[in-house]
Amino acid sequence: MFGKRRLSRPEDRKSLTEDCSTKKNEVNKKPRKSLAQDEVVENDSAFVKLLKTAGVTLKTGERQNQLAVDQVIFQRKLSQALRKHPSYPKAVEEFISGLESYIEDRDCFRNCLLSCERLQEEETSTVTPYYKSLIKLLLGIDNLQPAIIRILFEKLPEFLYESINNDGLNMPRLIINQLKWLDRIIDGKDLTTKIMQLISIAPVTLQHDLITSLPEIIGDSQHGDVAGELSDLLTKNTTLTVPILDVLSSLRLDPKLLSKVRHLVMAKLSAVTLDNLPVIIKFILHAVTVTDALEVISELRKKLDLEYCILPPQLQTSQSKLKNKGHVSSGNQENSNQDCVSLLFDVIKSAVRYERAISEAWIKAIENIDSVSDHKVLDLLMLLIIYSVNTQSKKCIEKVLRNKVQSGSIPEQLLQSTFCTYASVLRDVFPSILSLAQSLLHSTDQSVISFGSLLYKYAFMSFDTYYQQEVIGALVTHVCSGNDAEVDIALEVLSELVVLNLSAVRLYAVFVKGILDYLDNLTPSQIRKLFHVLSTLAFSKGHENSGHIQDDMYLVIRKQLSSTVFKYKLIGIIGAITMVGSMAADSEASGVTPDGAELSSERCKQMTSLLQLVHSCSEQSPQASALYYDEFANLIAKGKLPPKTLEWIEQTICNDFQDAFVVDLSALPKLSDYPFPVKALYGLDEDESQDGIAINLLPLLLRHDLGNNMGVMTSRDQDQKLVSPVCLSPYFRLLRLCVEKQHGDLEEIDGLLDCPLYLTDLDLEEKLGSLSVQERSFRCSLLFLVINWFREVVNAFCQQKSAEMKGKVLIRLRHITELQTLLEKYLAVTPSYVPLLANFDLETLDGGPHTSTAVTVKNKKKGEKAQGGKKRKADSGKSSSLEGPSKEDGSECEHSQSDKSQLEKDFTEKEEEKASVSLQNYITFFRELDLEVFSILCCGLLTKSLLDTEMHTEATEVVQLGPPELLFLLNDLSQKLENMLVPTATKRISFLKGKGSRNIGFSHLHQRSAQEVAHYLVVLLTPLCNHLENMHNYFQCLATENHGMIDGPGVKIQEHKIMSSCYQRLLQIFLALFAWGGFSQAENRNLMLEALKVLANRLKQGDHEAPLGELLSQSFHYLQNFHHSVPSFQCAIYLIRLLIVISEKSAASQNKEKLASLARQFLCQVWVQPNGERERGSSFNDQLHTLLCIYLERADNVLKLIEEIASTGVPELINSSKDASSSSFPTLTRQTFVVFFRVMMAELEKSVRNLQAGTAADLPKVHEEKLRYWNMAVRDFNILISLVKVFDSRPVLNVCLKYGRLFVETFLKQCMPLLDFSFRKHREDVLSLLKTFQLSTRQLHHMCGHSKIHQDTSLTNHVPLLKKTLELFVYRVKAMLILNNCQEAFWLGNLKNRDLQGEEILSQQSQESSMDENQEELSSQLSKQETEEGSIDEASVGGNEEDDNESDD
């Protein structure tokens, strides 16, 4: 009935629909025959007789048809009976007619569709567990199958619109099942046509069943036709997308058709519902081939936006609330979405696990993303999934993740969104997340370590109890690992988790408590973090069940405090003070309610008793007491202590300060009691009355030294406690913070700002060398103590508002700089001196770090003595102290300077000989300056009133922040920023550094976050800009006065040096701020805008709401204006690095050209020191290397610039005198040639490596451009290699051998494919290129011979790989000629070894003489093509025009 109908005609489908409806009505009107229930059908029809003869008994009612024989036997018997029937083939028609009549009854038809029942008494050994239906058995007979199929398709429309019967049977599906898995289909095309016609008119549910059954019905030969029809149907009916794609995944399809369907599906992907996504993604991934995998995956990751399909956490919460109120459908929808997501990623997991091409393509697609904003949650999720299911890709994924994290492409917000949105998916790969986090924490890059810590953090926050326990266990393992970086980051994560989810972490407190057994391996800062975590767990709200933690902490603290070893006492002090802080926080929280008042009072008693215990256990050790005071002061600074505890501190501890350290001026010590004359020095109150006070420093230091030397106290001092001067500064810090918290100001102790100290004369000038070692050491200790006292005084009073107090603070700053200069002189003549401790949170024993520092200084002095002025000069260049210039002055400048300048110069040289020690080596022995001190930078000119006793103004003195004080503050600020603000391109952590040495002296700074430090620095930007502009104006005026001569007669060398150092430090501070990696985070964007506004407003007051691009442009322009006045090459480097950081935040392309122009200007500038000497040395070479890289990397045509330097600058240098430089590039000298050469070789190799290899499909114009580029590159390479004949030092040869091999390798990979298909069209150009390149390879061969004959290991290490590469080049050229049918133009032979000048190496002459005779004929043939360098045998190409050569010895 349906066999003659065309598939694509609408009128056919319409008529088919009419037929179906008509047939359905006829069936409904036709009276049904009533058959007896459960009886055997007996009649004389051929249909029934033949079935019974073959072994089938028909049943009526609910009974199944009975099969008396095996199914195969039945089919054979029936087939034979039909063929042997007397009326065959009419018997077949009668049989079919009988079948049609029989199945008119619905129950009979149903029985024929259901499986038969096998008679038990006739079972044989061949019985099968499954019995087919009668219809299916008949379909297995060839001469019945077409008619049976026709009958089924005629019957099927009767049931199209029927629902499931009372017996639970779906008749359409039952009919379709008869056609599945047939052993043989007689007319497959007709069957396919009927099915596709039926699909076009069937209801949706039946359409799904028909489509999904197609692979089980049709034969392989019909797959193409069915796929074509289904793809057409896909465009017309999107509701059938899922079943169609599910079927297409199971069919054998033509690649073109598959690609067409894939593009069609991909175009609709963004509009697909979440329920259908798993099947669609399965089809897309199933259709991927190795060649198009990257393209498909790249497009898929762009189109797949699951974030819009999944409810965010906030909406999920609201949905759950609705569900609780009775809106069950919302909850079901949420669960359905999560199930679909899980199913979708199961499909993806399966694909990336079993298809390596898909996993590699996905990794590559993510790796190729350049823009930070283009990275999606799906990218990070896929990396984690592939990491879990594909073990071979783990290393690759770790590498990709590291690169992405280091470049800032995966911010914390992206990771947070990944865990929030796909927690159910990530839960399945949790072990891999832990493994990845552990691997990342082993990195040496700080940003990578931080990313690993975030994996731990969000895994804990997103998962349930079991996973949280695993996270805590992993973090505890890191803490106990002993790796400093791991311990720090793991403790930070624990601290953050305690804040974010205290109740969850408290469940695993027993794990955290186990770290107490590993305290010996922790630094003080780590101990502080650990006790903070434990104290929070033990004393925070809801800690009723945490008594075991409190008991263990008390036991550990008491045990450590009772130890006589400072290392363990330190643990006890830090732990106790940290515990007090947590108890105070809990007391404050619980004291708000009436019920908590009693608890708060009890807690105060506990805190007081614990503090008394620490005080009593530490008073016998000055270092322990000082540490106790410092830790206590930090606790007070945080404002965590209740008023009652502060009152106790003021009554018990702070009142002892005056008794211990302060004396009346009237009670001047007797001179007979001390070996030195005691004087009250550095007092700011010039009133001559004796009613003032003084700090009793020198007597205390003498008693301290006496007690240390003798081990006992004198009889006179046995009744009073021995107070160490080491505790002076820490004690004062505790005192002033306590007073400030209690009273809000420092009026009660402001007398300590201007009070003098009991000292002795320190500036002995020429008498310094006559003192004994003990006397010099004593005076060094005295100087350290005075400087640290003044530093703490400045910390205390730096924020005073009155002009008088500000003036006094500035004077104290001037005293610090003067005393530091004096201290350098003492340390220079006392190399073995070990300073007193000033920072006490050290993890090592007493004297440990001191000894190492002293030894460093001692070795430095020995090096200076051995190497003379050069060593001192190098040290002075690296140090930031206020030292004089080098002793090596140019004699030619001698007569041009005035006598006054010459005297100043000579004096500076003598001073340098005495003071050649930098205080940078002693930075850990100075008290730390607070950040608030740098508010002094805002000061301009201040007036200090000197008052007489009647409060009348007696005189007026101007107090100014001078250059030495400014440099002192800028040095300290720069060091703080370097320690705190981690740049975007972070430095690697060195495992060779001393444990915790980087953070010694920055304890107070680390109490703040990096965001707080950056914010404070942004506030200081305006005064810093003022100082930067002052430096600019100073050097501009200086250049004008001296007509541009840096070493002119009007230049004061010492002042020039200080101002230059200030200039450099200011640029360093700006660079540290704007290069801070935190600006890449969204929460710090406003802070960066504020900083940029400050710079932009220095040019003009602009719009406060200016866009980021405009602010960056104005800031760049403002900073660029300073390039005219940079006084040193190092300042120039910092300025251009700062400009690069600003430009990288902007997309403006013109900045690249400006940077290249500025770099060239600096390269073409003569850099001379104030003493007339050129800048030189290893530091200068490193900076020159940086600048040259910046210049070439930002050039539009790097090859042209390399040729300019090599062809113009270098010949000028060769033709100049020994100490002269190139006139075009004054920075190019014989000493810096190797720097220029290394950078040019590296950039040349890099430029050709980034050039894509051509393909034959490219346009001819593209081939010509690439060929021209390679011609220029090879020419530059030949010029550079030829320079070795003039500059043949070992560093130059090393660079040649290293980058020469890399260039040849790149030539083989990138250029030779281009020559393969360019040879025919551009034969002359190719031959010219190879001829030029041959000269370079020959010179490289000579370098190999030179390296061997000189047996230089550093050079010979490069020789084997280079020779192998050169050999590959020869055979690759031969392959190119064969490809272009020019193999007769190629000869291959051996090349003699020669030195750099082309002379034959004699050691091989005798060995090769026989070769000369044996190959005389070949040599004569090649003699016309040999160059003057005279190789006897070489690889040649191009007839008489070209030859190429290589050695194989």
Side-chain angles (χ1 to χ4, degrees), residues 1101-1199:
Q1101 292 295 328
D1103 183 12
H1104 292 289
E1105 301 299 328
L1108 176 62
E1110 184 178 347
L1111 291 176
L1112 288 168
S1113 177
Q1114 294 178 5
S1115 300
F1116 186 92
H1117 182 56
Y1118 168 71
L1119 294 171
Q1120 187 185 10
N1121 291 336
F1122 290 99
H1123 78 275
H1124 298 290
S1125 63
V1126 285
S1128 66
F1129 192 70
Q1130 193 166 8
C1131 287
I1133 295 297
Y1134 280 117
L1135 176 60
I1136 200 167
R1137 285 177 58 193
L1138 175 58
L1139 291 172
I1140 289 173
V1141 169
I1142 297 294
S1143 67
E1144 285 176 349
K1145 301 179 186 298
S1146 170
S1149 58
Q1150 65 268 21
N1151 287 345
K1152 181 179 178 181
E1153 300 175 0
K1154 293 178 181 178
L1155 287 169
S1157 175
L1158 184 59
R1160 183 183 178 91
Q1161 181 178 337
F1162 289 150
L1163 286 171
C1164 297
Q1165 185 173 336
V1166 180
W1167 297 99
V1168 182
Q1169 298 176 1
N1171 58 10
E1173 289 189 353
R1174 281 180 174 271
E1175 292 194 32
R1176 63 182 66 186
S1178 59
S1179 178
F1180 177 77
N1181 288 348
D1182 293 340
Q1183 295 157 10
L1184 180 61
H1185 184 280
T1186 301
L1187 183 62
L1188 197 55
C1189 288
I1190 292 172
Y1191 176 49
L1192 294 180
E1193 286 172 359
R1194 283 159 180 80
D1196 291 333
N1197 192 338
V1198 64
L1199 300 182

Side-chain angles (χ1 to χ4, degrees), residues 86 169 183 230 234 240 360 414 473 507 515 517 599 615 656 721 761 785 1083-1084 1091 1149 1155 1193 1292 1344 1399 1437:
L169 296 177
D183 296 331
L230 289 178
L234 184 64
L240 299 177
E360 290 178 351
L414 187 67
L507 296 175
I515 306 176
D517 297 333
L599 177 63
H615 183 66
D656 295 338
K721 182 175 67 173
D761 291 328
L785 290 171
E1083 59 267 24
N1084 296 321
S1149 58
L1155 287 169
E1193 286 172 359
V1292 174
C1344 294
E1399 299 295 333
V1437 61

Side-chain angles (χ1 to χ4, degrees), residues 44 259 386 407 438 652 699 776 881 1007 1333:
D44 297 334
S259 178
I386 298 174
S407 63
Q438 181 180 4
T652 57
R776 291 198 298 269
S881 62
Q1007 304 295 324
F1333 197 54

Side-chain angles (χ1 to χ4, degrees), residues 1302-1370:
L1302 295 177
F1303 187 89
V1304 176
E1305 288 178 351
T1306 307
F1307 187 89
L1308 292 174
K1309 295 177 183 177
Q1310 309 283 11
C1311 185
M1312 289 307 299
L1314 177 67
L1315 301 185
D1316 287 342
F1317 47 76
S1318 300
F1319 185 81
R1320 295 181 184 273
K1321 294 182 180 180
H1322 307 282
R1323 184 173 183 274
E1324 297 300 326
D1325 293 336
V1326 173
L1327 292 178
S1328 174
L1329 186 148
L1330 289 175
K1331 184 175 181 180
T1332 306
F1333 197 54
Q1334 174 210 9
L1335 301 176
S1336 304
T1337 57
R1338 181 175 298 163
Q1339 188 64 30
L1340 288 173
H1341 170 72
H1342 295 166
M1343 291 181 204
C1344 294
H1346 173 84
S1347 303
K1348 285 186 175 182
I1349 202 66
H1350 285 81
Q1351 297 182 351
D1352 192 327
T1353 307
S1354 63
L1355 299 180
T1356 54
N1357 288 337
H1358 296 285
V1359 170
L1361 288 176
L1362 176 57
K1363 284 204 166 190
K1364 179 181 179 182
T1365 306
L1366 292 175
E1367 183 180 355
L1368 289 174
F1369 168 68
V1370 171

Side-chain angles (χ1 to χ4, degrees), residues 1093-1094 1096-1104 1114:
K1093 285 178 185 177
V1094 174
N1097 291 336
R1098 303 301 291 189
L1099 289 176
K1100 61 178 181 178
Q1101 292 295 328
D1103 183 12
H1104 292 289
Q1114 294 178 5

Side-chain angles (χ1 to χ4, degrees), residues 111 234 246 318 384 460 557 647 804 884 1056 1063 1254 1295 1388:
N111 286 346
L234 184 64
D246 197 14
S318 63
L384 295 176
F460 185 89
I557 288 173
E647 291 176 6
E804 180 184 2
H1056 184 283
Y1063 206 141
V1295 171
L1388 182 63

Side-chain angles (χ1 to χ4, degrees), residues 655-881:
N655 289 340
D656 295 338
F657 180 82
Q658 184 173 352
D659 300 334
F661 300 105
V662 181
V663 295
D664 294 331
L665 275 174
S666 56
L668 188 66
K670 297 180 181 180
L671 297 179
S672 58
D673 294 343
Y674 302 100
F676 307 105
V678 181
K679 299 179 181 180
L681 302 177
Y682 297 103
L684 301 184
D685 190 355
E686 298 183 3
D687 187 4
E688 297 180 357
S689 64
Q690 298 293 321
D691 298 335
I693 58 174
I695 302 299
N696 193 30
L697 188 57
L698 187 143
L700 286 177
L701 182 59
L702 280 173
R703 283 202 293 269
H704 176 267
D705 286 353
L706 182 63
N708 284 345
N709 293 334
M710 300 182 61
V712 294
M713 299 181 187
T714 58
S715 58
R716 186 178 61 180
D717 296 333
Q718 286 179 354
D719 296 335
Q720 60 183 1
K721 182 175 67 173
L722 179 63
V723 180
S724 172
V726 171
C727 300
L728 172 62
S729 297
Y731 213 152
F732 172 68
R733 177 176 174 81
L734 176 62
L735 169 66
R736 66 99 171 173
L737 285 171
C738 185
V739 170
E740 193 173 11
K741 287 292 180 182
Q742 282 287 86
H743 306 285
D745 57 38
L746 299 176
E747 186 177 354
E748 292 191 1
I749 60 171
D750 59 1
L752 295 175
L753 172 60
D754 50 13
C755 73
L757 297 89
Y758 277 151
L759 303 170
T760 187
D761 291 328
L762 297 173
D763 193 359
L764 301 181
E765 297 182 357
E766 300 299 332
K767 298 180 181 179
L768 187 59
S770 62
L771 297 177
S772 65
V773 176
Q774 290 77 10
E775 290 176 330
R776 291 198 298 269
S777 297
F778 178 82
R779 290 173 186 270
C780 286
S781 298
L782 203 58
L783 281 169
F784 271 106
L785 290 171
V786 176
I787 292 172
N788 284 328
W789 166 254
F790 286 154
R791 290 171 79 103
E792 280 300 340
V793 166
V794 171
N795 279 339
F797 296 97
C798 63
Q799 293 183 297
Q800 297 299 307
K801 303 300 182 182
S802 68
E804 180 184 2
M805 299 296 283
K806 288 183 177 180
K808 291 180 179 180
V809 171
L810 290 177
I811 294 175
R812 287 307 188 202
L813 268 181
R814 193 179 71 228
H815 289 159
I816 292 174
T817 58
E818 293 171 353
L819 290 170
Q820 286 190 164
T821 305
L822 188 60
L823 179 59
E824 287 179 345
K825 299 178 182 178
Y826 274 93
L827 292 174
V829 296
T830 319
S832 60
Y833 169 69
V834 179
L836 297 172
L837 280 177
N839 300 284
F840 304 92
D841 52 348
L842 306 173
E843 67 273 18
T844 53
L845 299 176
D846 289 2
H850 327 153
T851 305
S852 62
T853 307
V855 169
T856 302
V857 178
K858 188 172 181 179
N859 291 340
K860 179 180 174 182
K861 291 297 296 178
K862 288 182 179 179
E864 289 172 356
K865 185 175 180 181
Q867 299 183 18
K870 291 185 179 179
K871 179 67 177 177
R872 287 196 298 272
K873 178 184 174 185
D875 290 339
S876 66
K878 294 179 182 178
S879 113
S880 59
S881 62

